[in-house]
Amino acid sequence: MAGLIGRQIQLASRPGAGWPTPEHFRLVEVPVPDLGAGQVLVRNTAMSVDPYMRNRMNDVKSYVPPFQIDAPLDGAAVGEVVASQSPDRKVGDIVAHGLGWRDYAVLDAAQTKVLDTAIAPATAYLGALGGIGLTAQVGLVEIAQLKPGETVFVSGAAGAVGSLAGQIAKLRGAGRVIGSAGSPAKVAYLRELGFDAAFDYHDGPIRDRLREAAPDGIDVYFDNVGGEQLEAALGALHVHGRVALCGAVAQYNATEPTPAPRNLALAITKQLTLRGFIVTSYRHLAAEFTAELAGWLRDGTVRFDETIVDGLENAPAAFLGMLRGENVGKMLVRIES
C-alpha cells in the first residue's frame, strides 16, 4: 500500500535456555507491501500470545518452524479487512488469520477466515472459539476419553486452556474436577468457575496438595505444566488412568534438565495411558466442538475470561507475563494502529 507504514515485533536474538527478556524483541516500522491478486490488507485489532511460542524462539525442530531473527514473529490474530484484491473478501470483513505481532498484515484471502461476530466478539476466536477451546475439548474427549463420574485433575487451570478444560469436564459428566493454580486469587477464581477443589502449587509439596484435593485418587490428568505436577498426578492416578499431555510450561524456560517425573515406572504398574497431542491434527472436529462451545458461552454455561494488554509495543511484555502466569484466562494484546 503506497505510503502506508506499519509496525511489527521482530525477533532480535534467540534466548537459548532460560527466560526470554525484552531485549530479545524489537519494534520496527516497515512499509506495508502492495496487494497482489487474491490478497487482502488486514488492520489487526487483537493478537494472541501463547506458550508454544516460547519454543519457536529457539532454532529447534518442532511441529512448527522457529521464528527467524530480524523477521516478524507470527501467531493468531483478528482484524478488519481494509483493502481487498479478492472477490472472496470485502472491505469491512472481520477475519482471523496467522499473522499477528504486527498492526497491518498482507496475506492471501484464503489464509483468512471470516468471523461471525454476532455469535461472539472477535477476540473469542482467539480463545474459546479458536484453538484454545478445541484444545480443551480434544484433550478431554479424544485423548483422555473422559467417562461420566470420573475424577479429573487439570494443571495450569486458571489459564486459557485449563479454565475451559475444567468447566467442560463438568459438563461432560466428570464426578469431581480439581485444578492447580499459582496464587490464592487464582484458586478462588477456579472455585468461581465450578471446580470442586483447587490448590496453589506453591503451598508445599504438590503430591500432598493433590492428595488432599483428591483423597480417592484421579482418573484423568489434563497436563498443561509437566514437571512436578505430572509426577504428582502419576502417583494419584488409578489403574488404567489417562493423561492428556497438552503442555509443559514449567519446563520451557528451565536452564537445567528437569528431573520430574521420577516415578514414570508407575505408568507400567498402573497400566496408564500417557498421550501427547497437537490440536492442529484435530481440525476436522473444529466445527462440531466450536458450535457446542458457542452455545455454552451464549447461555452462560461456560465462562471464559480474557486478560488484555493494550498496544502492539507491549506484546513482548504480555508474552513474558503469560509465561510467568500473570493472566487469568486468555492473554491477549489489543493492537492500536
Side-chain angles (χ1 to χ4, degrees), residues 41 111 116 129 152 196 223 225:
L41 172 65
Q111 295 175 306
D116 184 352
L129 299 185
V152 178
D196 297 289
D223 187 20
V225 174

Side-chain angles (χ1 to χ4, degrees), residues 169-186:
K170 292 291 286 186
L171 287 169
R172 292 194 177 279
R176 184 171 175 81
V177 178
I178 298 142
S180 67
S183 71
K186 288 185 176 182

Side-chain angles (χ1 to χ4, degrees), residues 104-315:
Y104 287 100
V106 173
L107 68 168
D108 293 342
Q111 295 175 306
T112 68
K113 176 183 178 182
V114 178
L115 304 179
D116 184 352
T117 54
I119 295 175
T123 55
Y125 293 89
L126 296 174
L129 299 185
I132 299 299
L134 184 59
T135 298
Q137 294 262 50
V138 166
L140 289 169
V141 177
E142 297 295 311
I143 306 303
Q145 298 183 1
L146 174 65
K147 301 177 183 65
E150 292 189 319
T151 298
V152 178
F153 170 42
V154 182
S155 60
V161 172
S163 61
L164 281 178
Q167 294 177 83
I168 292 170
K170 292 291 286 186
L171 287 169
R172 292 194 177 279
R176 184 171 175 81
V177 178
I178 298 142
S180 67
S183 71
K186 288 185 176 182
V187 168
Y189 169 69
L190 295 182
R191 293 187 177 279
E192 290 177 12
L193 294 183
F195 282 68
D196 297 289
F199 62 88
D200 184 341
Y201 61 82
H202 296 109
D203 289 345
I206 295 169
R207 65 179 183 277
D208 294 342
R209 303 288 79 75
L210 181 56
R211 188 179 300 116
E212 291 168 359
D216 297 323
I218 63 176
D219 302 288
V220 168
Y221 174 43
F222 195 110
D223 187 20
N224 293 304
V225 174
E228 292 184 19
Q229 299 206 47
L230 174 56
E231 183 174 283
L234 291 175
L237 279 161
H238 297 144
V239 172
H240 299 300
R242 286 94 64 208
V243 179
L245 296 167
C246 179
V249 70
Q251 300 167 224
Y252 291 161
N253 299 303
T255 56
E256 299 291 338
T258 53
R262 294 161 292 192
N263 57 348
L264 192 57
L266 288 176
I268 302 169
T269 58
K270 291 185 176 184
Q271 304 177 71
L272 305 177
T273 299
L274 285 72
R275 184 176 171 190
F277 69 103
I278 303 298
V279 71
T280 51
S281 297
Y282 296 86
R283 286 176 176 152
H284 60 286
L285 299 173
E288 173 190 349
F289 282 166
T290 299
E292 183 177 41
L293 190 48
W296 287 335
L297 290 170
R298 189 165 48 246
D299 65 19
T301 302
V302 166
R303 171 178 164 182
F304 187 71
D305 293 280
E306 299 171 343
T307 299
I308 305 290
V309 172
D310 281 309
L312 177 65
E313 67 278 7
N314 294 317

